[in-house]
Structure formats: C-alpha cells, structure tokens
Amino acid sequence: MAAKEKTGNAFVETIKTVVYALLIAGIFRTLFFQPFWIPSGSMKETLLIGDFLFVNKMAYGYSYASCPSVMVPQIGIEIDAKDICGVFDGDNNRLFGGDPERGDVVVFRHPVSGRDYIKRLIGLPGDKIQVKDGVLNINGEPVGLQDAGLFEEAMAPQGPQALRPRCENGPVGVGGNCVKSRQIETLPNGVEHVILNIGDQQSDHTGVYSVPEGNYFFMGDNRDNSADSRLAQQAGGVGFVPYENLIGRADRIVFSSAGSSMLYFWTWRSNRFFKAVR
C-alpha cells in the first residue's frame, strides 16, 4: 500500500504544480504582459510578419479586454475575454486607467469580432481626421511628410498564412523585388514613424471622421494594406475603438522569424531581436 500511496501522492503533486503554473501564467498575462505574434503586413515596416512581442498591459490600466482570450478553433477551444470578464464590459472605463498618446502602437480588441488587432493611434477623442490625396490631416492640418527612399522585400509567401506582399511596382513574380514608397510621417506631438505607399486607392481620399469622446482612431503604417478606422466595423474595418477595448502598448520586439514556423532557425531575423517599437 505504501508504494501505491506514494505514486498517488506524486500524481496529485504533479497536477497541483501544473495548475499553479497555469494560474501564475494567467495572472502574469492578465496583469503585466501579453504575447502577440504579428500575422499580417498592415504595420510594415514598423512591424513585420513573424515579429513576436510582449504587449505592456500596465500602460493604460485594466478593463474587461485585459482578460486573455484563448482561440484555438482547430481543437475546439474558443474562450473569449467576455466569457471571463464580461461583467466589467459596457461602462467604457478602466481600473488604474492611463491615457494613450498619439503615435502609440496599440493592441486592442476589435469592437465587433473581438479579435486582437495592432495599429498606430492616430486620432484622440474630439479630433477630426481626414486623408486627402494620401496625406493624413488632423484637425484640418496636414501632418509632416518627408520622402525616405524605398522599402524593398522579396516577393515570396510570408508567415504561417503564406501571405504575399502587395507592391507599388506592379505585379511581381515569385523571387522578384517588391517595392513600396517610404516616407517619414511626423504627428502633431512630434512622434515620427515610417509609412509605406502602394498606390492611389479609395482609402487615400476620405471624408472627415469626428472621433467621439471615449474613443480612438487607428491606422496601419502600411497605409494601403490596412483594414483600420478608415473603414466602418460593419464593412470589415475597425471604425472607432472604445477606451475599454485597449489591451496594451507594444514597446519592444522580442523575437522575429521570416519563415512559416518559428522553429525554422535559418529564417530568424536576429537584427530585430529586442528592437524597440517606434
């Protein structure tokens, strides 16, 4: 009997250790830092497909969106943040709330789908935002723009979804050089960042968006390849994002892989490890 009891006790201790580890990991992810893998090219060149970063959840305080969502539909796991913390949804407030700043790169919860998105904060509550002939205007004034050469990348499948980049230099065959115009954009508060251009399209000519109180306006740095606040939520865009939907600020890239799997070490981008997000 002693051997069986010892085996049983060891099994119970193992289960307890696993449960404690999961609880600690859940608390850490909820309160401090959430891992985020960049799945698309909407934030190039600031963020590339395959960049892995931790989102600072302390930057803006906490809301229902701070609770982690676990979405693995392949094995039937779909636990939404609202399933855990939905009781705190609806008041558009935050605990220990802090105000985001224009130019922050923010992970937020999509107001309709609930999926996590990452974009740059462009419009604050009360702002009037418009894009005229491809130039961002904030409260009636165009932002500063400076030509900064070209952004070049190989035409090849990128990331686990094997996405192919869009190019300004027309259709490019596999292995060819995909080019986009590159500019430095300066926001009214002095934040500078790179934006990319692919061509003239509808999102380069918009009406005026008046950002409601308690909401924010986001855009991708890869301006012609981003579903963001310029497009209404019902049309597949982001629209205005409520304060309570903010998850955290992206501060630093921890790891980056150009391949379809992070295990393919020969595709790692070592020059992006621990790179600050600007």
Side-chain angles (χ1 to χ4, degrees):
M1 287 296 293
K4 288 184 178 180
E5 288 178 5
K6 187 174 182 180
T7 302
N9 289 339
F11 178 75
V12 170
E13 289 302 315
T14 299
I15 295 299
K16 287 168 63 177
T17 299
V18 171
V19 170
Y20 290 152
L22 290 175
L23 284 174
I24 293 170
I27 292 171
F28 183 86
R29 181 177 175 180
T30 299
L31 296 180
F32 303 112
F33 298 97
Q34 176 175 318
F36 191 85
W37 189 274
I38 303 300
S40 73
S42 67
M43 282 295 293
K44 290 179 181 176
E45 66 178 45
T46 304
L47 298 171
L48 304 180
I49 295 175
D51 283 348
F52 181 81
L53 47 86
F54 281 98
V55 178
N56 181 356
K57 302 183 81 168
M58 298 176 284
Y60 311 133
Y62 306 98
S63 70
Y64 86 95
S66 302
C67 285
S69 296
V70 182
M71 299 291 180
V72 191
Q74 296 86 345
I75 58 175
I77 298 178
E78 295 193 20
I79 303 174
D80 189 78
K82 281 191 175 181
D83 297 331
I84 305 171
C85 298
V87 66
F88 302 111
D89 178 26
D91 60 2
N92 204 25
N93 286 318
R94 307 182 72 86
L95 181 65
F96 308 124
D99 293 329
E101 296 182 5
R102 196 191 311 274
D104 284 357
V105 177
V106 179
V107 173
F108 58 88
R109 179 183 168 89
H110 190 285
V112 175
S113 71
R115 300 296 184 183
D116 291 350
Y117 275 56
I118 186 166
K119 306 287 181 186
R120 190 176 296 277
L121 176 54
I122 297 297
L124 303 175
D127 281 345
K128 295 187 181 301
I129 307 296
Q130 184 177 20
V131 181
K132 295 182 179 181
D133 298 324
V135 178
L136 173 64
N137 284 248
I138 299 178
N139 296 323
E141 296 293 331
V143 298
L145 283 177
Q146 179 182 352
D147 289 336
L150 301 174
F151 174 80
E152 303 181 45
E153 58 186 338
M155 171 53 71
Q158 299 179 355
Q161 301 179 56
L163 300 176
R164 295 176 184 267
R166 293 178 58 206
C167 314
E168 187 178 12
N169 55 329
V172 175
V174 175
N177 191 32
C178 178
V179 176
K180 301 174 181 63
S181 296
R182 185 176 182 271
Q183 293 177 303
I184 304 296
E185 182 176 84
T186 304
L187 300 177
N189 61 344
V191 172
E192 295 183 346
H193 59 277
V194 171
I195 62 170
L196 303 180
N197 179 71
I198 297 172
D200 187 52
Q201 57 187 48
Q202 186 175 353
S203 58
D204 291 323
H205 314 276
T206 75
V208 177
Y209 303 94
S210 297
V211 185
E213 287 302 315
N215 285 262
Y216 296 90
F217 190 96
F218 290 91
M219 294 175 69
D221 290 350
N222 191 2
R223 289 287 163 82
D224 295 337
N225 195 46
S226 176
D228 49 39
S229 291
R230 290 171 290 179
L231 192 62
Q233 298 160 6
Q234 296 79 1
V238 169
F240 301 121
V241 178
Y243 181 45
E244 67 178 351
N245 281 48
L246 307 186
I247 294 174
R249 185 181 64 218
D251 290 333
R252 191 169 296 274
I253 299 164
V254 177
F255 172 84
S256 185
S257 173
S260 58
S261 170
M262 64 182 296
L263 300 178
Y264 298 163
F265 63 87
W266 56 91
T267 66
W268 292 354
R269 306 182 184 106
S270 58
N271 64 324
R272 296 185 67 79
F273 288 10
F274 305 107
K275 182 178 180 180
V277 177
R278 303 291 186 192

